[in-house]
Amino acid sequence: MLCLRQVCLFTLRRYQARTLCSDLLLSQINGCTHEDEVFSLVGRNKARLSEKHVGIALNMLWQLQKKRPFLLRTSDYIRNHSQFLTLCVLAENKVEHMEDEVIVDALYSILRLNVEDHVSLAKVLVTEAWKRLERQVLLNLPALSKFALCLYKQHRHFSPITGQVAHIVDMKLDSIQDIRILSVLMMSISEVITESFRDRLLHKAEQLLEEGHEVHFNYARRILQFLQNVKLRYHPMLEKCNRIFLKSASHLDIHSISHIFGLYEQLGFDNAEFRLIAKQLLSETVDDYHDPETFAKLFFSLGPMAGSKARERLLVTAANMAEEFSSHQVLMILKTMRKMKCRNSHLLKKMASVLHKHLDSYHVLQLVKLTQYLVVLHCQDLELFAKLRMLLLGYLKSSVIPADTAAIIRVLAMLPSFQVEEMIINKAAAVLPQCRLHHLNCIATALVKWNHHSQLHWQNSSELCAKLLQKLNDCGFQRLQKAKNLNLLLEELPYVNGEWFEEALNEETLAMCQHLIDQITWANVLPLSFFLIKSEHRCPALFDRIASLTVENIDKIPTSEIYFILFLFSALNYDPPDNEEFFKSCIKHLTSNLSHLETYHLVLLGHVLAMAGYFPPVLIMTIFNVSFLSKLDAQLKVLPDTVKQRVHSSLMKLNRAVCLECPEFHIPWFHGPYCQRVFHNSMSQINPQRQHIHRMLTEILGGSRYSRISVLTPYYYEIDFECVLDVNKKPLSYMAQNIALGGVGGIHLRHDIKDEGRKALPPGAERIALEFLDSKAFSKDYSRHLKGEPAVKKRHLEILGYRVIQIPHFEWNSMVLSTKGEQLEYLRQQLYGIQ
């Protein structure tokens, strides 16, 4: 017994000594301030390192790196250090004894230190964690989210183990109360979830975000990444995340800003306030970034909204840094130049020169994008285009993916002086049955272009081209006929446009949408409205369904989406059966949520309502306010040019409509100088058809002094022809002609026109505006209904005192008016009402 007691005491003392030593070693590792200190401790204590020591040491190496600025990190030094290899071997040997959190921390640390995924330790750690998931041991939510993030960083997006994590999240979703944990899990499992699970995750995220706790911008960024991964543009969540970014503005750096801009671009979202803040932050540091990676992100983020001085500095720095850019960074610079509409020849030459050494590193879709950018930017490097052509043709020959094949064919058609080979046509014909609508559209666009420019030179090429076009039409029609799900069909339609689709499939697509009309819900009225706006077809059944669903679900539809629904009805000048209820319901919802709309959105909304004849006082007085207009002016400086022009034009039209239709608001007309600039910059021509009508009008009235051509009215409407008839229907002469008719080659308009002839009319006289309306003024369906803009113009001209005569192109060019005499008689009837 005594001997046994001595052995036990000896063992206990030894265990206590070892524990004390271990705790001391653990404290020493935790107290390290440099990586070399960690490695020194590892080297001196290899035999005494437990699985916990190893895990803490690996984690400490990452924590020390994390504290340093990105450019001062030394991951290469750590990975190549002999003691790091020792740590990895020890960790691999002790992995089965590690606690769950230690396994996850070790995996996370080595991945953040950029250890390759195929390294043995990474595989062992993942395998062990997977075993514990299957045994339902690794169920601690913080550890689970960190492990899920590791899998995401290893690109195991579709792995069974990711599915296992998703299953656990599905079961434990109600118990998750931390938005940080939820955001990580959402992003990590996004590729292996069902649509219903996706919606549950979003609903949970909205709940946690609405609880009012402080939310780090990284959590919001992960939620945006989730939306991008599941290809969902969910506007309420986008707006919530954007508000978080605005609150966190002082903590954002160039890496965060560029990532957010990239996600916004992919999700089709924009926010002027965020742009303004980002521009201010980045403009202050425009000269501080000297490494290629950070500068490329700066160029991408700041370039499209930079002022002239900052823009010039960016272009000069990019040219000087060109040789240092990686293949990805070159692509980013060219993409941004395209967005900036920047054709700086010096920078473009530099980028083209660098590209020669990078071409082999691009995958096929990157080559497609690269070619698009170079063509749009008017690159003149023919040798580069020759290399691109060769690479693209090589990819085309081996391509078995319809989307890739269609993209290559479309971009080959953009190449200058491209000679089409028969192989391309045969390749296109082979993939047609597997193509989605927008892939068919790509191939059709290329084929029509090649045929139009006579680039098909081999024997029987025209016959082969005709057969392929017919097969294209058949495949498109068959794909539409097989459509059973409206949502899937609407996913394809945003990418389809151009002559081929309009001529071959537009009507069939509308017919299929009507066939699936019962599948229209409040959730898909927006994409359906987008398609109908683009198609310019008035389809009463679809329009009425959209209107009724909008009224029934007005509180569910995001405020920003209602604008596009209203635009559909206003632009195509369609009144649903309950027109008043529809517009009043939309207006009530919008005016109670004005604060949720962007400044420039309010202008667009005001214009689209004015087009339909609605002028909500709250909205009008909000817009025509000095502080609002000052804020709008600041935001317009950072918006893309196309948006900027659209907003300027909408504000002018709204100002004009309010002045003419609602004088009781006492809003002044302040767009005269803007209109003068627009007319000065648009050197339009009077086309031959209008010249022909003017000659006939002159003949009917008895001389050129009785009519004016291309007249500017008050509030800057331009009308084709103007004349004045007295009380006895006799034409009155103009004292001065502003524009003289020229030769048959065309007449250029003067833009300094003064309204010299607009004096008070004699009693009983009437001023007549005669307008020729081409096809753009009408919807494209068989109804030939007048669209919103020309209808508003007629309404406003009548307020200005005109009798408006509109000559539709389909009447003027019809067989009924095939002779000069018939045309003269038609004009007489319009002017004098003679039957």
Side-chain angles (χ1 to χ4, degrees), residues 254-267:
I254 179 58
H255 304 287
S256 305
I257 291 170
S258 67
H259 193 184
I260 292 166
F261 271 134
L263 289 168
Y264 277 178
E265 183 178 78
Q266 292 167 325
L267 289 164

Side-chain angles (χ1 to χ4, degrees), residues 453-610:
H453 293 288
S454 304
Q455 289 173 265
L456 306 166
H457 293 297
W458 63 88
Q459 193 175 6
N460 300 324
S461 61
S462 57
E463 183 182 346
L464 192 61
C465 176
K467 286 181 179 177
L468 184 57
L469 273 174
Q470 185 56 53
K471 190 175 179 182
L472 265 165
N473 295 347
D474 293 343
C475 288
F477 186 74
Q478 288 167 16
R479 185 163 185 84
L480 284 172
Q481 289 301 304
K482 291 176 183 175
K484 303 296 180 191
N485 186 307
L486 180 62
N487 288 332
L488 294 178
L489 178 60
L490 291 174
E491 281 180 15
E492 295 192 35
L493 295 178
Y495 308 100
V496 184
N497 48 40
E499 293 178 14
W500 170 76
F501 180 79
E502 190 175 313
E503 292 174 7
L505 294 180
N506 207 2
E507 290 185 16
E508 285 80 0
T509 307
L510 286 162
M512 183 51 65
C513 288
Q514 287 187 73
H515 179 69
L516 301 172
I517 195 167
D518 291 339
Q519 295 184 31
I520 301 175
T521 67
W522 69 267
N524 60 23
V525 291
L526 181 65
L528 180 59
S529 298
F530 279 146
F531 168 65
L532 293 172
I533 289 168
K534 191 168 66 172
S535 74
E536 296 186 355
H537 275 61
R538 280 164 49 99
C539 185
L542 295 175
F543 280 50
D544 293 349
R545 173 78 171 166
I546 289 171
S548 64
L549 282 169
T550 301
V551 172
E552 291 167 16
N553 301 278
I554 193 71
D555 293 327
K556 297 177 186 175
I557 301 174
T559 314
S560 56
E561 293 183 4
I562 291 175
Y563 161 75
F564 295 101
I565 297 169
L566 288 172
F567 184 87
L568 171 67
F569 290 87
S570 293
L572 289 175
N573 194 20
Y574 180 82
D575 295 336
D578 296 321
N579 189 54
E580 285 294 317
E581 184 187 0
F582 169 67
F583 273 96
K584 284 181 179 176
S585 178
C586 290
I587 289 168
K588 182 181 177 183
H589 183 66
L590 288 164
T591 51
S592 59
N593 290 281
L594 288 183
S595 60
H596 294 166
L597 288 166
E598 283 218 67
T599 305
Y600 72 94
H601 282 164
L602 294 181
V603 174
L604 299 176
L605 180 63
H607 170 235
V608 86
L609 285 171

Side-chain angles (χ1 to χ4, degrees), residues 142-156:
L144 185 68
S145 68
K146 202 168 191 179
F147 179 56
L149 185 61
C150 292
L151 297 175
Y152 189 78
K153 289 182 178 300
Q154 289 182 303
H155 305 290
R156 296 176 184 260

Side-chain angles (χ1 to χ4, degrees), residues 265 296-305 311 314 329-342 373 377:
E265 183 178 78
K297 290 178 179 179
L298 175 71
F299 193 90
F300 167 75
S301 304
L302 181 60
M305 53 187 182
R311 178 186 170 111
L314 287 171
Q329 289 153 10
V330 171
L331 198 61
M332 190 186 294
I333 297 289
L334 289 170
K335 175 183 178 178
T336 310
M337 287 178 69
R338 181 195 182 188
K339 201 184 295 186
M340 294 165 66
K341 297 181 181 176
C342 168
Y373 302 152
L377 292 170

Side-chain angles (χ1 to χ4, degrees), residues 154-197:
Q154 289 182 303
H155 305 290
R156 296 176 184 260
H157 306 317
F158 302 98
S159 165
I161 188 172
T162 304
Q164 182 77 20
V165 173
H167 176 65
I168 296 170
V169 175
D170 192 17
M171 293 189 302
K172 296 173 73 74
L173 183 59
D174 292 339
S175 65
I176 300 176
Q177 298 303 321
D178 187 332
I179 188 62
R180 179 187 65 82
I181 289 172
L182 181 64
S183 66
V184 172
L185 289 169
M186 287 173 69
M187 181 182 71
S188 304
I189 64 174
S190 54
E191 305 286 5
V192 293
I193 59 176
T194 62
E195 191 173 312
S196 59
F197 189 16

Side-chain angles (χ1 to χ4, degrees), residues 16-205:
Q16 288 172 339
R18 186 179 173 193
T19 303
L20 183 63
C21 182
S22 297
D23 288 343
L24 179 61
L25 183 54
L26 203 60
S27 300
Q28 288 175 328
I29 295 173
N30 280 323
C32 290
T33 57
H34 192 278
E35 292 83 355
D36 285 339
E37 294 177 35
V38 178
F39 289 138
S40 177
L41 284 171
V42 170
R44 294 198 309 269
N45 298 278
K46 288 177 190 175
R48 292 161 45 199
L49 291 176
S50 68
E51 62 276 3
K52 190 170 185 178
H53 294 135
V54 171
I56 293 296
L58 287 170
N59 185 49
M60 180 54 65
L61 290 173
W62 161 240
Q63 293 302 324
L64 291 170
Q65 286 289 296
K66 184 180 176 182
K67 291 176 183 175
R68 296 179 179 175
F70 184 78
L71 294 175
L72 297 180
R73 292 179 184 173
T74 54
S75 298
D76 289 344
Y77 169 74
I78 291 173
R79 290 195 308 272
N80 295 324
H81 198 286
S82 59
Q83 298 305 332
F84 183 73
L85 179 59
T86 301
L87 268 178
C88 289
V89 171
L90 286 169
E92 194 171 333
N93 292 335
K94 298 174 184 291
V95 70
E96 291 182 5
H97 306 291
M98 288 181 177
E99 295 178 358
D100 298 343
E101 288 80 1
V102 175
I103 287 177
V104 172
D105 285 345
L107 178 61
Y108 182 81
S109 298
I110 64 171
L111 291 179
R112 294 310 301 258
L113 291 168
N114 299 322
V115 170
E116 297 291 338
D117 295 343
H118 60 263
V119 166
S120 177
L121 176 58
K123 291 181 179 179
V124 169
L125 289 168
V126 169
T127 302
E128 180 61 27
W130 193 354
K131 287 178 184 176
R132 298 188 188 194
L133 278 179
E134 290 179 329
R135 296 200 307 267
Q136 297 193 353
V137 176
L138 182 61
L139 296 178
N140 174 277
L141 284 172
L144 185 68
S145 68
K146 202 168 191 179
F147 179 56
L149 185 61
C150 292
L151 297 175
Y152 189 78
K153 289 182 178 300
Q154 289 182 303
H155 305 290
R156 296 176 184 260
H157 306 317
F158 302 98
S159 165
I161 188 172
T162 304
Q164 182 77 20
V165 173
H167 176 65
I168 296 170
V169 175
D170 192 17
M171 293 189 302
K172 296 173 73 74
L173 183 59
D174 292 339
S175 65
I176 300 176
Q177 298 303 321
D178 187 332
I179 188 62
R180 179 187 65 82
I181 289 172
L182 181 64
S183 66
V184 172
L185 289 169
M186 287 173 69
M187 181 182 71
S188 304
I189 64 174
S190 54
E191 305 286 5
V192 293
I193 59 176
T194 62
E195 191 173 312
S196 59
F197 189 16
R198 176 201 74 186
D199 294 341
R200 286 177 59 222
L201 287 167
L202 277 173
H203 180 65
K204 183 68 177 181

